[in-house]
Amino acid sequence: MIKKKFSLLYGITLGLVLFLAAVLIAVGVAMPHYGVPLADRQSKELTLGWTFTDLASGERREVSLPMNLEDNGVGFSLTRTLERYGTEDGCILVQSHHMYVQIYLNGELVCASREDGWRPSKTPGNIDYIVRLPEDFEGGELRIDFQPLLGDAILYTMLAPVAGSRSALLYHLVAPELPTILFVAVLGLLGAVLFIICLVGGRHFRTGRHLFYMSVFTLLCALYCLCETEFSRLIIENSYVINLADFLALALLPLPILAMLLPSLTPGLKRITRWLIGLVAANFLVQTLLNFLGVDLRLMVSFTHVVIALCIALVIHVLIATRRDRQGEAHRFLITFVPMVAGAVIDMVLFYTPLIVPNNFFTGLGLLAFLILQLRQLGRRYLVLYKQSIRSAMYAQMAYTDALTNIGNRAAYQRHLNGLEIRLKDHSQIWCLVADLNNLKLTNDTYGHSAGDVVIQDTAFLLSQAFGEKGSVYRTGGDEFSALAVDITEAELLAILDALRGAIGRYNANHRFSISLATGYAHYRPGEDATLEKMEIRADDRMYADKRKTKGG
């Protein structure tokens, strides 16, 4: 019945969500131009009409952008005539990749890279320049000089400048990255939530360390992906900080992955993994130091790629080694790495080709798949642990509960007694009551054992009711009961016994089976009793004296 209700609720929820999506899509298609856009979206990439000048050789030629170039030791220049591009608010967007830039309009310098002050590395990485043009810019000459900063170690990409209003250029930069920005926001939120869960309650989970490494990996991925966007250059003016965070986050990314992988490996592979963890840490620290000594991070990224390639090789090796145990936890865990590994391999190959493609596109897709699979696996693992904890709590309750009376059993009584023994000085008084049913055998023989069970159950109920919150009642034998009470006076205990006798009298008057109970009580004497066992013996002796008196009467 519960499963049917759940299936119905699932179907209703899914149906309503799909209906909402269909309504929004239909309205969006039927009314595509309703409303006024908040930003101008009309911009134009200036791909044609450029004259390229090699400042080293003086060679000039007509080119189209984008294009890749090798360093010539001096720099390059691009020149073209400006036109009106459908907006009165004329601006030009120039994007620089590891190059200083100087922008001239009609021979006058209007914008240049800032080179003053201390710099943490040779290059600020990627910088976007938005230059406002004067009202009479139409027909003017635009010249852009580029000075490569990293020598002939890399290819330099010259992207096509973009013309339009300032809002149109901002839209040109940010709009294509909206999915990435949303992805980064989700990653950051997820990483923060996982980290907080780990800090607050991770020690209570068997997979707490895995959760910690997962949160660190997610936050590093969020930082790395954010630094790869143009949006980061709009919110953080210092491009050196973005460049530094970009490369160092990439260098650290393998560390939490290897830490997550470590527990599922054989002893031999664990040694290799620990060496790789040391290599990752050394690569990160050495690159950071060398960067501040003048060696640019972009020139050292190949070492990071080698380290990442070694980690990928380890993952592939372990995946192949565990292929026979496809239902094993290690293999299922490693399967989640496959999309990310594939994406990282594709992007690293593309990085060393002259193709102009979006940075880390395939790694981002693989990362998304990896996180989804990891969260799915973590969810399953925590669900299993939750069920196990519920089952363990149930078994623990059963171990300390008397099945017939549903009160504490002998083990629970002994546990309570041991706890009191440890904290004797915490209580002003400790009382022990021992009770034993009289003539239970006679009841069993006369009315049957089921009648005897009823008498035992009702006696347990009456004892528990009499003590209430002032004590704990336990069934310590077949027809024996014990109760422990702390921080009450003897007068209060006697009042409890009077209430118990009154309840038994009323019970016997209205039931077929009668209850006769012999009781004895004693309290702990700090000056005389070395342990609580002396108290128990005195209570037991008084109970037997009461039993003899009852039978003799």
Side-chain angles (χ1 to χ4, degrees):
M1 186 64 180
I2 295 176
K3 288 186 177 180
K4 288 183 179 180
K5 288 183 178 179
F6 177 78
S7 299
L8 179 62
L9 180 61
Y10 174 80
I12 292 174
T13 305
L14 180 60
L16 290 175
V17 170
L18 292 177
F19 177 74
L20 173 63
V23 169
L24 294 177
I25 293 172
V27 173
V29 172
M31 309 172 70
H33 304 297
Y34 186 79
V36 178
L38 295 177
D40 181 10
R41 301 180 183 181
Q42 295 183 353
S43 60
K44 180 180 179 181
E45 289 192 15
L46 307 180
T47 57
L48 303 175
W50 291 96
T51 299
F52 171 80
T53 303
D54 188 326
L55 298 180
S57 64
E59 175 192 355
R60 295 169 59 91
R61 66 178 186 273
E62 300 297 317
V63 297
S64 62
L65 301 178
M67 62 184 295
N68 290 323
L69 292 169
E70 294 181 353
D71 183 28
N72 61 5
V74 178
F76 314 98
S77 178
L78 289 173
T79 308
R80 70 163 289 154
T81 301
L82 291 173
E83 307 166 7
R84 183 67 63 181
Y85 303 107
T87 176
E88 297 299 325
D89 181 21
C91 293
I92 291 290
L93 167 67
V94 178
Q95 296 175 280
S96 163
H97 298 270
H98 305 291
M99 294 182 287
Y100 282 148
V101 171
Q102 292 180 324
I103 303 174
Y104 296 85
L105 185 61
N106 296 325
E108 181 182 351
L109 180 66
V110 294
C111 182
S113 304
R114 288 183 294 182
E115 304 180 29
D116 54 324
W118 177 81
R119 299 186 301 275
S121 59
K122 286 185 176 181
T123 166
N126 302 335
I127 306 181
D128 301 326
Y129 304 90
I130 296 181
V131 180
R132 184 180 295 277
L133 301 175
E135 293 183 0
D136 58 346
F137 70 86
E138 188 173 3
E141 182 188 68
L142 174 68
R143 189 178 95 231
I144 309 172
D145 292 346
F146 295 91
Q147 179 190 351
L149 298 172
L150 299 179
D152 57 0
I154 67 169
L155 285 176
Y156 297 90
T157 301
M158 303 177 73
L159 298 177
V162 183
S165 66
R166 186 175 183 84
S167 62
L169 297 181
L170 293 176
Y171 181 82
H172 172 83
L173 287 173
V174 174
E177 295 182 340
L178 285 178
T180 304
I181 295 169
L182 178 62
F183 179 55
V184 168
V186 172
L187 275 182
L189 179 61
L190 176 63
V193 169
L194 290 176
F195 190 73
I196 291 171
I197 291 174
C198 185
L199 288 180
V200 174
R203 63 183 182 274
H204 300 300
F205 300 119
R206 285 166 52 189
T207 55
R209 290 187 179 181
H210 183 97
L211 197 66
F212 170 75
Y213 295 130
M214 188 71 184
S215 67
V216 172
F217 177 72
T218 306
L219 291 172
L220 283 175
C221 287
L223 176 62
Y224 175 66
C225 293
L226 177 63
C227 293
E228 287 288 310
T229 64
E230 300 296 338
F231 176 74
S232 64
R233 293 166 183 82
L234 296 178
I235 60 176
I236 301 175
E237 184 179 356
N238 191 337
S239 57
Y240 283 99
V241 172
I242 299 173
N243 190 50
L244 189 65
D246 188 7
F247 284 100
L248 294 185
L250 177 65
L252 268 185
L253 272 178
L255 186 61
I257 291 291
L258 293 173
M260 283 190 283
L261 187 64
L262 193 62
S264 60
L265 301 177
T266 60
L269 288 176
K270 282 184 177 180
R271 286 193 295 271
I272 296 175
T273 305
R274 290 190 182 99
W275 276 102
L276 277 178
I277 290 174
L279 182 61
V280 171
N283 178 61
F284 170 78
L285 295 174
V286 170
Q287 287 202 24
T288 303
L289 177 63
L290 291 178
N291 175 72
F292 287 102
L293 293 177
V295 182
D296 197 84
L297 288 168
R298 175 61 180 79
L299 300 177
M300 298 183 286
V301 72
S302 297
F303 294 100
T304 299
H305 287 165
V306 170
V307 174
I308 293 175
L310 291 174
C311 296
I312 290 174
L314 175 67
V315 171
I316 293 174
H317 172 76
V318 177
L319 192 60
I320 293 173
T322 59
R323 67 187 185 279
R324 294 182 180 178
D325 185 19
R326 296 188 177 181
Q327 299 304 317
E329 183 177 349
H331 188 82
R332 289 199 305 269
F333 172 67
L334 288 167
I335 285 293
T336 63
F337 286 83
V338 172
M340 187 174 61
V341 166
V345 169
I346 293 173
D347 278 332
M348 281 196 295
V349 171
L350 291 175
F351 181 83
Y352 294 98
T353 66
L355 298 176
I356 301 175
V357 293
N359 288 342
N360 305 302
F361 174 75
F362 295 100
T363 301
L365 292 179
L367 174 63
L368 179 61
F370 167 75
L371 290 174
I372 291 173
L373 292 173
Q374 273 288 300
L375 289 175
R376 179 171 174 266
Q377 186 166 335
L378 273 175
R380 285 187 171 183
R381 186 178 300 178
Y382 278 113
L383 182 60
V384 170
L385 291 176
Y386 176 72
K387 289 180 178 178
Q388 289 177 349
S389 65
I390 294 286
R391 195 177 296 115
S392 299
M394 182 179 65
Y395 289 154
Q397 182 67 20
M398 291 171 61
Y400 292 102
T401 303
D402 180 64
L404 181 61
T405 61
N406 206 32
I407 63 173
N409 58 15
R410 181 78 189 183
Y413 168 75
Q414 195 61 48
R415 182 176 62 174
H416 191 177
L417 204 65
N418 293 340
L420 292 175
E421 192 89 58
I422 296 172
R423 299 183 301 273
L424 290 176
K425 295 182 179 180
D426 294 347
H427 304 289
S428 59
Q429 292 278 355
I430 300 176
W431 294 90
C432 176
L433 173 77
V434 179
D436 191 277
L437 282 168
N438 296 319
N439 304 317
L440 178 63
K441 185 177 184 305
L442 180 62
T443 303
N444 287 332
D445 293 341
T446 306
Y447 301 106
H449 284 277
S450 58
D453 290 344
V454 171
V455 169
I456 292 172
Q457 290 171 334
D458 292 342
T459 301
F461 173 77
L462 294 176
L463 278 166
S464 299
Q465 191 178 50
F467 274 91
E469 298 295 327
K470 294 184 177 181
S472 302
V473 178
Y474 304 91
R475 184 186 177 200
T476 53
D479 56 0
E480 299 170 6
F481 297 88
S482 295
L484 293 170
V486 296
D487 299 328
I488 65 172
T489 64
E490 185 173 10
E492 289 177 292
L493 182 62
L494 291 175
I496 291 172
L497 290 175
D498 287 341
L500 175 63
R501 294 188 187 99
I504 290 175
R506 291 189 295 273
Y507 177 89
N508 291 340
N510 295 287
H511 288 78
R512 181 183 178 188
F513 317 122
S514 63
I515 294 176
S516 175
L517 201 61
T519 60
Y521 66 89
H523 73 282
Y524 170 67
R525 299 170 181 171
E528 302 177 20
D529 300 337
T531 64
L532 294 180
E533 185 180 0
K534 299 291 185 180
M535 174 187 69
E536 288 184 280
I537 293 172
R538 287 197 301 274
D540 216 35
D541 290 342
R542 290 177 181 175
M543 182 273 294
Y544 280 113
D546 186 47
K547 181 180 281 289
R548 288 191 296 269
K549 180 181 176 182
T550 302
K551 288 186 176 181

